[in-house]
Amino acid sequence: MQNFFGIEVDTASMTTEELQEARTKIREMLSNIEHQLLLRKMSERKFKTPVSSDTAEV
């Protein structure tokens, strides 16, 4: 049994076709998550408040 986001899946009893389909869907999900992480990091850098020259360390 495998736990995917709180859902128990018995991968041992799945057919080869079902496993391949699950792999494809999981890869798509992972790709979407990685894309969202990239966008989030870019957004955080863009909107991060700049350090003023008065408080910046030299």
Side-chain angles (χ1 to χ4, degrees):
M1 288 289 226
Q2 295 288 320
N3 187 330
F4 295 99
F5 298 105
I7 299 170
E8 293 286 329
V9 179
D10 186 7
T11 53
S13 67
M14 294 172 73
T15 65
T16 302
E17 185 177 296
E18 289 172 326
L19 287 168
Q20 289 174 336
E21 186 177 326
R23 178 182 60 189
T24 300
K25 289 179 180 181
I26 291 168
R27 284 181 175 167
E28 289 174 6
M29 186 185 337
L30 181 58
S31 177
N32 289 336
I33 290 171
E34 289 174 344
H35 180 72
Q36 288 301 317
L37 281 169
L38 177 64
L39 291 176
R40 186 84 39 99
K41 287 177 183 179
M42 288 171 52
S43 175
E44 288 172 355
R45 281 190 216 123
K46 182 177 181 178
F47 295 111
K48 187 175 184 180
T49 55
V51 177
S52 71
S53 58
D54 295 338
T55 60
E57 293 184 26
V58 179

